[in-house]
Amino acid sequence: MVKRFYESVLLTLFAFFFILFGGCGSGGEKGSSHDASPLNMVFVSIPGGSFRMGDEAGDLWEGCRPVHTVTVTGFDMGAYEVTNAQYAVYLNAAIQSGDIEVKDGDVYGKTGEWAVQRYLDIGYDYGGENKCWITFENGVFTAAAGKENWPVVAVSWYGSKAFAAYYGFDLPTEAEWEYAARGGKQLMYGTDDGSIDSTKVNYDMYVGCPTPVGAYPPNPFG
């Protein structure tokens, strides 16, 4: 059984979500050299199956068409987005192991495939509560008090990929993400029942900033 978890990424005003996956156990897949247990991730099992991928309705990207049947194998997925506190744990481990560095106030890869790529825009501030809540002082990364359980934002794709790889995980296919979101019931939206409103999901500026992970009901897959 493969394990996956996902991470919220705020590049501009909008939140983008990435599922990250890896092997069972505290250290990720066999061969992973870094212990993931300090992250305290919570996983749920997603059974394998087939679903209708894509959508013909609405003003959607043409890549959603035509609708077609896709089959995925079972995997485990994180119940929540990766939080500021969890990403700070990674940053502190990675700077100690020499895999990242801080340049011009931001976090960059230092080794491996994504060396020199920016991982985290520490100075990101879109106004109000929409900002990076991780700071770097005296060689230590810290999640702001009261924001530890918020989804981490201002992380690039490289920062997500590197975070995953550090613990033996990786990014999923688009099909795996859509399959999980549909909850095994071909739901239109990834909510508890496929409908959408402000009691079920943080969207359309009803809140206007991130909310703590687990603030909304899970979909049928958990």
Side-chain angles (χ1 to χ4, degrees):
M1 181 68 73
V2 176
K3 279 194 174 181
R4 292 157 170 81
F5 57 95
Y6 63 99
E7 175 168 4
S8 149
V9 181
L10 187 56
L11 299 176
T12 57
L13 178 61
F14 304 99
F16 297 88
F17 295 89
F18 290 88
I19 311 167
L20 310 173
F21 66 93
C24 299
S26 63
E29 289 182 341
K30 184 177 180 180
S32 172
S33 60
H34 302 104
D35 182 11
S37 59
L39 300 175
N40 295 316
M41 291 289 178
V42 176
F43 292 92
V44 294
S45 293
I46 309 295
S50 299
F51 75 109
R52 297 289 287 166
M53 183 176 176
D55 195 279
E56 297 286 358
D59 185 19
L60 297 174
W61 174 55
E62 289 186 359
C64 295
R65 305 183 180 98
V67 174
H68 55 289
T69 299
V70 174
T71 300
V72 300
T73 57
F75 55 91
D76 289 349
M77 179 179 286
Y80 314 108
E81 302 96 324
V82 171
T83 66
N84 287 314
Q86 289 167 332
Y87 203 76
V89 167
Y90 156 67
L91 293 175
N92 283 317
I95 200 167
Q96 288 295 318
S97 62
D99 290 282
I100 64 170
E101 61 182 338
V102 176
K103 298 189 300 183
D104 301 322
D106 292 331
V107 178
Y108 289 82
K110 189 176 180 181
T111 63
E113 186 175 354
W114 306 288
V116 313
Q117 299 291 345
R118 186 166 69 172
Y119 288 3
L120 178 68
D121 181 359
I122 294 178
Y124 175 84
D125 188 344
Y126 203 81
E129 301 278 73
N130 288 305
K131 59 184 293 186
C132 177
W133 292 105
I134 294 178
T135 58
F136 181 68
E137 295 182 4
N138 300 319
V140 177
F141 293 94
T142 305
K147 302 298 191 294
E148 297 93 339
N149 202 41
W150 280 27
V152 63
V153 302
V155 179
S156 70
W157 179 89
Y158 300 103
S160 298
K161 186 76 170 177
F163 172 85
Y166 193 80
Y167 297 106
F169 302 107
D170 202 350
L171 300 179
T173 66
E174 181 183 356
E176 289 172 321
W177 166 245
E178 184 173 331
Y179 174 72
R182 290 189 182 277
K185 300 180 181 294
Q186 203 62 32
L187 300 178
M188 178 62 71
Y189 298 101
T191 61
D192 56 345
D193 62 3
S195 65
I196 188 168
D197 63 49
S198 59
T199 69
K200 298 177 182 292
V201 66
N202 182 359
Y203 81 110
D204 204 22
M205 298 302 290
Y206 283 105
V207 178
C209 66
T211 49
V213 303
Y216 298 96
N219 81 347
F221 276 155

